Amino acid sequence: MEEGFCVNSGKQRKVGIILSYLTIIVSTLVQLLYTPLLIRMLGQSEYGLYSLVSSIIGYLTVLDLGFGNAIIVYTTKFHTQGKFDDEKKLHGMFKIVFSIIGLIAVLLGGILYLNVNNLFGNTMNSLELEKMKIMMLILVFNLAITFPFSIYSSIINAYEKFTFQKVLSILNTILKPILMIPLLFMGYKSISLCVIITIVNLMVLLSNYFYCRSKLDIRIKYMGFDKTLFKAILGYSIWIFLGIIVDKVNWSVDQFVLGAVSGTIAVSIYSVASQINTLFINLSTAVSGVMLPKVTKMIANNETTDKLSNEFIKVGRIQYYIIFLMVSGFTLVGKDFIILWAGKEFEVAYYVTLILIIPISFPLIQNLGISVMQALNKYKFKSISTFIMAIANIFISIYLAKRYGPIGSAIGTSIALVICNIILINIYYHKVININVIKFWKNIFEMTMWFIIPVALVLVLMFLTKLDGITGILVYSFVYTIMYGIICLLFVMNEYEKTILNKVFKKFRVR
């Protein structure tokens, strides 16, 4: 097992980042082509119903308790320190723990199933309630089999085998619509979609299992329950768990609230906005998502805070190039895009999306800080502060959803984001983690001053030409991207970033 760990890890990280963005591109293309078809074939109401069920079942994923993240950190730490027996004991112990969690998921899913009528009987008819129950059973089964196998994905991540993981993720993204589209045309709807999701997920889980056995030579065996180790991991993961709960509340509670007070139409509108918001989140984690093992090694090797700060700024700048381009681009042409993509009845989703993505952009470019806190075992503050705000978010969202529908729910979520994930967390980074956030935001401010130029020029172009529909989207997006790229290359990028860009171009250059 020792030989398979971290071989060419630097190269694996670079390939992992490139494949992460490729995964996002593929996922975006699938959403662009598949989601409009799905909405039209299911109908706005049933699409909202499917989105609501997925959101509810998503709550049960918090039963992971942060252990998946802990396995990555402790596997990396044990292997770096040469404690291979401790690593094997860790894997065997958590294979049992995850199996128990799978059974708990079934139990809680059954409770949700029995209370569907009580929760949503006021806003749904009997047919919608019956479909909801069937979909819930299928997705609970999906979740139950996912937990025992999830340890293999964490091990692959800890071993920094990002190429395999990202390729598998791309195949996962492509397979679901390929299998589902023929069924849609045959008249099958949301229940069949849940079945396909479960089948494809099972294929992914088995692929991870066989990769660990054949390529990493890992045979997980129960070697006893180490109470001391489990207590240490529980002390680490409990705050990760609390953070996961907060994320689920902030990103899923709105659909749950809208389903209870407004019905499936409002849920479908919010779901369209939520998909775009998820794309922005994925864009940031494409880089930071593969950095946790590296940050853990840096801390295990007692690297200075200056080096951590430089890594924080370096990764944040790269993320900001992508995030700003996407947020500003969507602001410019997003309304026409949503109308063309989802339909005129989803126009409100444009405003919901803006309310979500503008405030989330700031913490997204600082996502490496989360990895630093996790590796330092200092996640407690973020978990507690965001948990308190998540509770406030629930009450704010209920009040605003009743008055303003999806827009009200989005405002409630954004208020929580600004207070906790922008203001408080930066104070914590600066005071406790000793990351130089002043230098970080100075970098971001200087970049933004240059980025405003292409935005202003395109706004003038839009005012003068007034192109609509697909023509306007393509023309304005193309012109803006070219202007943005020129400004970045000539005035914003440092030598490190230009070197990365040159390497990317060389890989895709035709020889």
Side-chain angles (χ1 to χ4, degrees):
M1 183 162 31
E2 291 83 349
E3 296 178 357
F5 189 80
C6 297
V7 178
N8 297 320
S9 58
K11 182 178 179 180
Q12 281 283 332
R13 276 193 296 272
K14 292 176 182 177
V15 173
I17 291 171
I18 292 171
L19 286 175
S20 292
Y21 280 117
L22 180 59
T23 302
I24 293 168
I25 292 170
V26 171
S27 178
T28 302
L29 290 173
V30 167
Q31 286 184 27
L32 288 174
L33 298 172
Y34 179 51
T35 302
L37 176 65
L38 194 61
I39 292 173
R40 287 162 176 78
M41 297 295 284
L42 294 180
Q44 191 178 16
S45 179
E46 185 154 349
Y47 176 73
L49 182 65
Y50 164 73
S51 301
L52 178 60
V53 174
S54 299
S55 174
I56 293 171
I57 297 302
Y59 286 123
L60 295 180
T61 61
V62 303
L63 291 172
D64 172 87
L65 303 179
F67 288 144
N69 191 285
I71 290 170
I72 296 172
V73 170
Y74 276 81
T75 297
T76 303
K77 186 181 296 184
F78 286 150
H79 223 107
T80 302
Q81 297 172 349
K83 298 179 179 179
F84 305 120
D85 288 339
D86 287 341
E87 181 189 352
K88 293 176 182 178
K89 183 178 289 186
L90 170 76
H91 296 162
M93 182 168 62
F94 275 92
K95 182 66 179 293
I96 301 298
V97 170
F98 278 128
S99 297
I100 295 171
I101 290 174
L103 294 175
I104 295 173
V106 172
L107 176 63
L108 294 179
I111 294 172
L112 284 172
Y113 172 84
L114 294 174
N115 285 277
V116 164
N117 287 11
N118 295 330
L119 291 170
F120 303 102
N122 293 331
T123 57
M124 298 183 191
N125 59 45
S126 58
L127 180 60
E128 288 176 328
L129 292 171
E130 287 305 312
K131 286 183 178 180
M132 189 176 192
K133 288 179 180 179
I134 296 172
M135 286 190 286
M136 194 170 286
L137 286 177
I138 296 170
L139 293 181
V140 165
F141 169 76
N142 185 358
L143 195 60
I145 61 175
T146 297
F147 276 119
F149 283 91
S150 63
I151 188 171
Y152 296 103
S153 176
S154 296
I155 292 170
I156 293 170
N157 197 334
Y159 275 59
E160 299 188 280
K161 302 301 181 182
F162 301 118
T163 302
F164 172 79
Q165 278 197 325
K166 299 306 177 183
V167 170
L168 193 62
S169 179
I170 291 170
L171 291 175
N172 181 24
T173 301
I174 294 173
L175 265 178
K176 282 183 279 192
I178 287 177
L179 295 174
M180 188 59 203
I181 288 174
L183 295 178
L184 286 172
F185 281 104
M186 292 169 63
Y188 295 97
K189 295 197 174 184
S190 53
I191 293 175
S192 297
L193 180 58
C194 293
V195 173
I196 294 298
I197 289 172
T198 301
I199 292 172
V200 174
N201 182 55
L202 183 59
M203 294 168 62
V204 170
L205 296 174
L206 290 174
S207 298
N208 286 330
Y209 168 74
F210 286 115
Y211 183 86
C212 282
R213 288 180 65 88
S214 61
K215 297 296 183 180
L216 303 181
D217 194 29
I218 290 176
R219 303 288 192 274
I220 296 180
K221 296 180 180 178
Y222 181 66
M223 300 172 63
F225 194 88
D226 189 329
K227 292 182 179 179
T228 303
L229 176 60
F230 183 78
K231 184 178 180 180
I233 291 176
L234 187 62
Y236 167 89
S237 65
I238 191 66
W239 305 114
I240 307 296
F241 167 57
L242 193 57
I244 292 171
I245 290 178
V246 170
D247 284 339
K248 284 299 175 185
V249 169
N250 281 333
W251 300 123
S252 301
V253 73
D254 290 343
Q255 295 183 58
F256 186 89
V257 169
L258 288 169
V261 304
S262 300
T264 55
I265 300 298
V267 173
S268 68
I269 291 172
Y270 193 93
S271 179
V272 167
S274 181
Q275 284 191 58
I276 300 172
N277 181 61
T278 300
L279 170 63
F280 285 103
I281 294 174
N282 290 340
L283 281 168
S284 72
T285 56
V287 178
S288 60
V290 301
M291 296 298 292
L292 179 57
K294 179 184 178 180
V295 171
T296 302
K297 288 180 197 173
M298 291 177 68
I299 291 169
N301 293 326
N302 297 314
E303 296 285 2
T304 63
T305 53
D306 286 340
K307 288 187 177 181
L308 286 174
S309 291
N310 290 335
E311 196 75 24
F312 185 81
I313 294 169
K314 184 166 64 177
V315 173
R317 282 178 60 93
I318 293 172
Q319 290 172 315
Y320 192 53
Y321 285 110
I322 304 297
I323 293 296
F324 187 92
L325 176 64
M326 298 299 293
V327 172
S328 56
F330 182 82
T331 303
L332 292 170
V333 301
K335 184 188 289 186
D336 285 343
F337 166 75
I338 283 182
I339 292 173
L340 183 68
W341 179 51
K344 179 68 176 176
E345 65 271 24
F346 287 91
E347 182 178 346
V348 176
Y350 168 71
Y351 302 102
V352 176
T353 304
L354 285 181
I355 293 169
L356 291 174
I357 66 174
I358 291 175
I360 192 62
S361 299
F362 296 99
L364 285 182
I365 61 176
Q366 294 184 306
N367 262 352
L368 188 67
I370 295 175
S371 296
V372 174
M373 286 190 292
Q374 291 171 347
L376 285 171
N377 198 8
K378 291 186 177 181
Y379 203 73
K380 180 179 179 178
F381 171 81
K382 185 177 188 300
S383 297
I384 293 175
S385 60
T386 51
F387 178 76
I388 293 171
M389 283 310 303
I391 300 301
N393 178 24
I394 293 174
F395 292 103
I396 295 171
S397 293
I398 291 173
Y399 175 77
L400 293 177
K402 289 179 179 179
R403 288 176 172 265
Y404 308 110
I407 288 179
S409 293
I411 291 172
T413 298
S414 294
I415 291 172
L417 283 171
V418 171
I419 294 174
C420 283
N421 290 356
I422 298 177
I423 299 173
L424 293 180
I425 198 62
N426 273 275
I427 295 172
Y428 189 77
Y429 284 153
H430 181 68
K431 296 290 186 179
V432 180
I433 308 298
N434 295 320
I435 291 174
N436 194 339
V437 294
I438 296 174
K439 184 179 179 181
F440 173 86
W441 285 114
K442 182 181 178 182
N443 271 262
I444 298 302
F445 178 77
E446 291 172 352
M447 294 170 73
T448 305
M449 291 300 98
W450 287 108
F451 291 164
I452 290 173
I453 296 173
V455 174
L457 291 174
V458 172
L459 282 172
V460 172
L461 178 64
M462 294 174 72
F463 177 77
L464 294 175
T465 56
K466 299 186 186 304
L467 300 175
D468 296 321
I470 185 66
T471 302
I473 293 172
L474 293 176
V475 170
Y476 298 139
S477 297
F478 177 77
V479 173
Y480 177 61
T481 303
I482 296 299
M483 287 183 178
Y484 183 83
I486 292 171
I487 292 292
C488 289
L489 193 60
L490 296 181
F491 303 108
V492 185
M493 286 187 171
N494 57 36
E495 291 303 316
Y496 171 76
E497 291 156 359
K498 289 178 180 178
T499 300
I500 291 178
L501 193 63
N502 287 332
K503 288 180 179 179
V504 172
F505 283 146
K506 285 180 181 179
K507 286 185 178 294
F508 291 99
R509 186 179 298 165
V510 178
R511 300 187 180 185

